[in-house]
Amino acid sequence: MNHVLCGLAANEALPFELVRRLIAVADEDVAHSLAGRADLSREQAVTLAARVEESAVRLAYEGRLTAADVDPRTRPQAALALLDEGSGDPEWARLFARDPDVGRRSKLAACPGLPADVRETLAADPDVRVVVELASWTTADLAARLAHHPHAEVRRAVAANEATPPRVLAMLVTGEGLSPAERCLVCDAEETPFAHDPNCPRLDCDLRPGASCDGSHESTLHELAEQALQNPATPIEVLLGFADHPSTLLRGLLAARPDLPPETAARLAGDPVPGVRDGLAENPAIGDAVIRVLAADRGHDVRRCLAHNPRVPLDVLSDLAAATRIGPSLLPRIASASPSEVEDLARSSNPVLRMLLAERRDLPAGIRDALADDPDAKVAKSVARHPGLSEARLRAMVERHGAQVAAGVAANPDTPPALLEELAGHVPPVRKALREIARHPGATGPALLVCLADRQARRVAAGHPAVPPEVLVELLADDDWQVGEAAAANPSLPPAVMAELVSGADGA
């Protein structure tokens, strides 16, 4: 891969004529970058698609090609992409429904809005992979029919399809009204009973890890239950029995259901496996009584998950903040706090609560400034990125807390260039701050030159338009390909250098 040419192909300042010349010599990788250009003309898009089939797919998905630009016989992948976008010719669907390539038929089966006759053809496809793909995405009426398919893998796909009618999902879970499945992917491929080694060394084996069949297709039916539990259209009443299922995974999926009844939530709060209680703790369906039971739960991660529940009362959250390592993140309950609650949180004696509040970016100016002046470094660190802070306050934060807030201040959109230069020159270097400076729109050349000395910040800084042009030219030959690609994509790269790079590629 020529990473410099890939970067150049994405350079928004690349002149129109150089884009044309680059199209003429593009390989698959360069063509992928060219296909993402916002200024690509329709003529250029058609030319690029004709040269590189893979680029035609991206161009089709981005709306740069129309059905008139694509011949499905010579550009089948692009034609399928247009069908997937709903802008292909319906006749193409009939063509691909009988394509000898199973991959193309499978891709077609996932496309929306297929004609009814095409869906019928795909539903009768001799390769179960095609029918499975259709079942995953098809309409409610056909999903209801495919629920009776003799292959368990098709039924599993129907259980995952959110268009499947609730009564059909209930039938798949309970088995009532369905004849037993006759086959699964395991017994299609192996003599039963068979259990697939999770570390199977066979390169030609595509069975899922842990797949097994003793004649009852047990692993596929377990996966069907997983899909039904995650499908919001599945009626909750047919799922409640999974509260006592021996599978931890299935109990955990039930615990996360947003329509979980209170009595089932109370039962699952006593589940012996902490992983099940973790999912329950984050579930907004649980009520105050279960929340307070889980607040005293010392199981791994339970209380941390409860802190992320949007319905956790603030008094409980206060206790969790004192006893649990939550970290700086915007918790849902903090994000929805009322103005009066925000004022109370800002006055809290618990610095963790003040830190969590400081993660909000819509705070009133007075509260924002008070948090910026907070004597606790973790509070100041969380508010440091908040827009609207004055230069004086940002400088005071750095003076008070030093390296602990440097990265946050460097990421603040209102941090002035002079302060960015000072942060870049901090001794010892604050590497996280250098990475933020490298992407800051206000970073200056001198600050960016310091960033280039850091391996990770260098990759970001090489793409900053304030890097001096002569430095960009040197970066094109950098040992790190990501640096060279970023430099080539930099709009400040001199046009003469762009022309030289293209000339080297097309031999002109």
Side-chain angles (χ1 to χ4, degrees), residues 146-157:
L146 289 175
H148 294 271
H149 197 281
H151 204 289
E153 191 70 13
V154 175
R155 297 184 183 189
R156 172 184 179 272

Side-chain angles (χ1 to χ4, degrees), residues 17-366:
E17 174 59 22
L18 293 183
V19 172
R20 184 192 64 77
R21 288 171 56 187
L22 204 50
I23 287 173
V25 296
D27 61 12
E28 181 179 338
D29 298 313
V30 173
H32 180 79
S33 295
L34 286 167
R37 293 187 63 87
D39 62 350
L40 207 64
S41 70
R42 183 175 180 278
E43 179 184 357
Q44 288 175 328
V46 172
T47 302
L48 182 61
R51 267 192 48 78
V52 185
E53 164 75 10
E54 291 77 12
S55 71
V57 174
R58 181 173 182 183
L59 289 164
Y61 274 118
E62 295 190 359
R64 313 304 290 272
L65 297 177
T66 67
D69 301 322
V70 174
D71 182 340
R73 291 174 176 80
T74 59
R75 296 282 182 268
Q77 298 304 325
L80 284 165
L82 286 174
L83 285 170
D84 195 28
E85 286 292 286
S87 55
D89 187 330
E91 286 303 315
W92 296 353
R94 296 183 174 92
L95 174 70
F96 287 121
R98 294 176 172 79
D99 194 296
D101 187 319
V102 65
R104 293 175 188 168
R105 300 199 308 276
S106 294
K107 174 69 176 176
L108 175 67
C111 293
L114 294 173
D117 60 307
V118 172
R119 286 188 279 119
E120 293 297 331
T121 300
L122 295 171
D125 197 282
D127 194 306
V128 72
R129 292 172 292 179
V130 177
V131 188
V132 166
E133 197 65 32
L134 180 68
S136 299
W137 305 104
T138 196
T139 55
D141 56 338
L142 185 52
R145 286 168 45 202
L146 289 175
H148 294 271
H149 197 281
H151 204 289
E153 191 70 13
V154 175
R155 297 184 183 189
R156 172 184 179 272
V158 173
N161 188 337
E162 294 186 11
T164 301
R167 62 174 181 79
V168 176
L169 290 165
M171 183 171 61
L172 287 167
V173 171
T174 63
E176 296 176 7
L178 280 179
S179 56
E182 298 173 11
R183 307 189 312 281
C184 70
L185 293 179
V186 179
C187 57
D188 280 349
E190 305 288 347
E191 290 287 336
T192 57
F194 179 83
H196 186 227
D197 182 353
N199 300 309
C200 178
R202 290 166 44 191
L203 298 178
D204 62 342
C205 180
D206 55 6
L207 290 176
R208 289 187 286 271
S212 64
C213 181
D214 60 5
S216 66
H217 325 298
E218 65 273 12
S219 69
T220 307
L221 294 181
H222 188 282
E223 291 169 349
L224 184 155
E226 292 177 37
Q227 300 299 332
L229 279 158
Q230 294 175 88
N231 192 328
T234 306
I236 187 61
E237 57 268 19
V238 302
L239 299 174
L240 299 182
F242 288 108
D244 299 313
H245 198 280
S247 168
T248 299
L249 174 59
L250 297 184
R251 297 199 311 276
L253 291 172
L254 176 63
R257 288 278 303 197
D259 51 359
L260 192 68
E263 59 274 14
T264 307
R267 286 174 59 194
L268 291 169
D271 194 280
V273 179
V276 174
R277 305 197 303 275
D278 289 352
L280 181 68
E282 283 195 87
N283 191 338
I286 63 175
D288 189 74
V290 172
I291 285 175
R292 294 183 184 278
V293 168
L294 294 173
D297 193 318
R298 294 186 177 275
H300 176 68
D301 246 14
V302 174
R303 290 188 291 185
R304 188 193 63 80
C305 291
L306 185 62
H308 287 79
N309 191 308
R311 293 184 59 187
V312 63
L314 287 179
D315 67 303
V316 174
L317 184 57
S318 179
D319 293 339
L320 294 172
T324 309
R325 188 179 181 87
I326 299 173
S329 60
L330 182 56
L331 299 180
R333 181 62 182 87
I334 297 291
S336 65
S338 68
S340 61
E341 289 174 332
V342 166
E343 292 182 6
D344 291 341
L345 288 165
R347 290 192 297 265
S348 172
S349 60
N350 186 342
V352 177
L353 280 181
R354 302 198 305 273
M355 173 195 73
L356 294 171
L357 176 65
E359 288 293 324
R360 281 184 58 157
R361 296 293 175 259
D362 60 347
L363 295 172

Side-chain angles (χ1 to χ4, degrees), residues 376-387:
D376 193 294
K378 61 178 169 286
V379 179
K381 180 180 178 181
S382 283
V383 81
R385 298 170 184 258
H386 200 303

